[in-house]
Amino acid sequence: MNTLAQRIKQFRKAKHLTQQALAIACGWESQSRVGNYERGIREPNLADIERMATALGVTLGDLLEGTEESSTTPSTNISFARRALEGAVPVVGYAQLGVNGYFEALDFPAGHGDGYLNIHSDDPKSYGLKVTGDSMHPRIKNGEYVLVEPSKAYFSGDEVMVRTTNGRTMIKEFIYLRDGMYRFDSVNAEHAPIHIAEDEIEHIHLVGGILKSSRFMHTTKK
């Protein structure tokens, strides 16, 4: 089996999961995303490949290994993931900054946004987001890129990307976890520190760097 679409379907069936069950395990509301990926209508970005790999109990490499690419135009998102495994960092979407320091992490439309950050990361799950908006100015400026390294540990004083169970996403400074309560300080001094209960956190990923737009490189097409 050569294509990513076929591998997703094979691993799903091996786990005796329906498309709906896999979608739920990945935190998606509808099975249509899984269906589109399995039919090859859409290509998953790196973040979605990671979610499916975790839900299916396989590694990122298991889903990517042996993936067949076009002889004329390489699959952008698969190329991203392979670059991540090799050290360079794929840009998988953008962060539309909003009020109070929150932002929405959005995928690029299929066939758009292909490129990577010209920086080494030894985290195979690392990825980049392009920042749009000014709510985190001056720490993060419009048009800059955020390097996210999910596999790395974070400590007090580190900047992290936090996603809550109610869907809020933000970049904050991790201060402490005490008595089941996280404290995060804002990267924008105009926003007060916030406290979030441990059971309200979906994930916390280390922000390994904030990069200028000059670090972005377009994927080279064959």
Side-chain angles (χ1 to χ4, degrees):
M1 187 174 65
N2 294 318
T3 70
L4 176 60
Q6 290 171 327
R7 294 183 77 82
I8 294 170
K9 185 174 183 178
Q10 183 193 50
F11 284 122
R12 176 180 63 78
K13 287 191 171 184
K15 291 284 288 186
H16 305 290
L17 295 174
T18 63
Q19 290 181 349
Q20 181 67 33
L22 177 56
I24 292 172
C26 292
W28 303 326
E29 294 182 356
S30 171
Q31 57 77 226
S32 61
R33 187 183 304 200
V34 175
N36 288 339
Y37 290 161
E38 290 188 356
R39 292 193 298 273
I41 296 173
R42 292 182 57 193
E43 289 183 351
N45 60 30
L46 180 59
D48 281 4
I49 295 173
E50 286 181 356
R51 283 178 179 249
M52 289 187 288
T54 299
L56 294 169
V58 300
T59 67
L60 190 62
D62 288 333
L63 281 181
L64 294 173
E65 184 178 0
T67 300
E68 185 179 67
E69 294 183 354
S70 166
S71 60
T72 56
T73 304
S75 167
T76 298
N77 289 320
I78 294 169
S79 178
F80 281 173
R82 286 178 174 170
R83 286 185 186 275
L85 291 169
E86 294 166 1
V89 178
V91 175
V92 299
Y94 64 95
Q96 177 66 54
L97 303 183
V99 297
N100 299 323
Y102 297 111
F103 68 84
E104 185 175 3
L106 301 170
D107 297 339
F108 283 120
H112 295 75
D114 49 325
Y116 63 98
L117 296 176
N118 188 18
I119 187 171
H120 174 78
S121 173
D122 54 8
D123 181 355
K125 295 184 177 181
S126 63
Y127 61 93
L129 294 172
K130 183 177 181 178
V131 172
T132 61
D134 296 315
S135 70
M136 295 187 189
H137 186 85
R139 181 68 182 100
I140 308 175
K141 302 178 181 65
N142 182 52
E144 292 184 330
Y145 291 81
V146 176
L147 167 65
V148 184
E149 298 179 300
S151 300
K152 292 190 175 182
Y154 55 88
F155 303 94
S156 180
D158 286 339
E159 289 172 344
V160 293
M161 187 172 76
V162 183
R163 183 170 179 82
T164 64
T165 54
N166 65 1
R168 284 182 165 179
T169 307
M170 68 204 89
I171 294 176
K172 298 288 184 182
E173 180 184 353
F174 169 69
I175 304 301
Y176 60 70
L177 170 61
R178 184 180 301 159
D179 298 326
M181 189 71 65
Y182 282 95
R183 172 180 165 173
F184 301 101
D185 283 2
S186 296
V187 296
N188 186 323
E190 295 181 0
H191 301 146
I194 64 172
H195 296 80
I196 305 176
E198 186 174 9
D199 61 4
E200 295 177 1
I201 298 291
E202 181 177 309
H203 62 241
I204 301 175
H205 292 166
L206 177 69
V207 172
I210 298 165
L211 308 172
K212 300 297 183 183
S213 59
S214 59
R215 289 294 190 124
F216 176 76
M217 305 293 289
H218 287 280
T219 301
T220 301
K221 302 293 186 182
K222 292 182 179 180

